[in-house]
Amino acid sequence: MLPIGALFVAFFAVAVPAILLMAIWAGVMAFRLLFPEEALPDGALSARERDIARGPSHRVRVRDIMEDQQARQEVASRDHGLPDRHPLFDDLWLRRN
């Protein structure tokens, strides 16, 4: 039978490097998400969002809502029928390990 001390040493010899590697991986992923290598692309609806951020609020017409829905459907059809996703999901998917 192995002494208890040897079991503790073996456990820490495996656990400490694994935890260190996971911490390094999490730090690198957080850095890559916060400081991407290339700028994020503007979405199809970003012109209206920029106008909203720049000036006072404006009316939203039914036509605008319909155009937004059509744009989302076109993006979904280009994504091979995948469900609606957050706009940054595609960028995050490209940056995955």
Side-chain angles (χ1 to χ4, degrees):
M1 179 142 212
L2 288 175
I4 297 294
L7 292 175
F8 280 115
V9 169
F11 173 76
F12 286 115
V14 172
V16 170
I19 291 171
L20 249 141
L21 287 174
M22 286 189 292
I24 291 170
W25 176 80
V28 168
M29 290 302 296
F31 182 81
R32 288 178 65 190
L33 287 172
L34 293 174
F35 306 104
E37 294 171 4
E38 52 192 53
L40 298 175
D42 285 338
L45 306 175
S46 63
R48 188 177 313 137
E49 292 170 357
R50 277 193 307 258
D51 290 341
I52 291 170
R54 237 186 314 202
S57 62
H58 65 286
R59 291 188 206 153
V60 177
R61 300 173 299 179
V62 174
R63 178 186 289 172
D64 294 335
I65 295 171
M66 298 299 284
E67 288 174 359
D68 288 351
Q69 288 176 346
Q70 271 185 334
R72 286 189 192 117
Q73 288 172 355
E74 289 172 6
V75 168
S77 67
R78 277 187 268 141
D79 289 340
H80 308 292
L82 295 175
D84 249 354
R85 300 183 298 220
H86 192 274
L88 296 178
F89 180 78
D90 292 328
D91 187 67
L92 178 62
W93 182 255
L94 292 174
R95 297 175 194 279
R96 75 189 187 285
N97 283 342

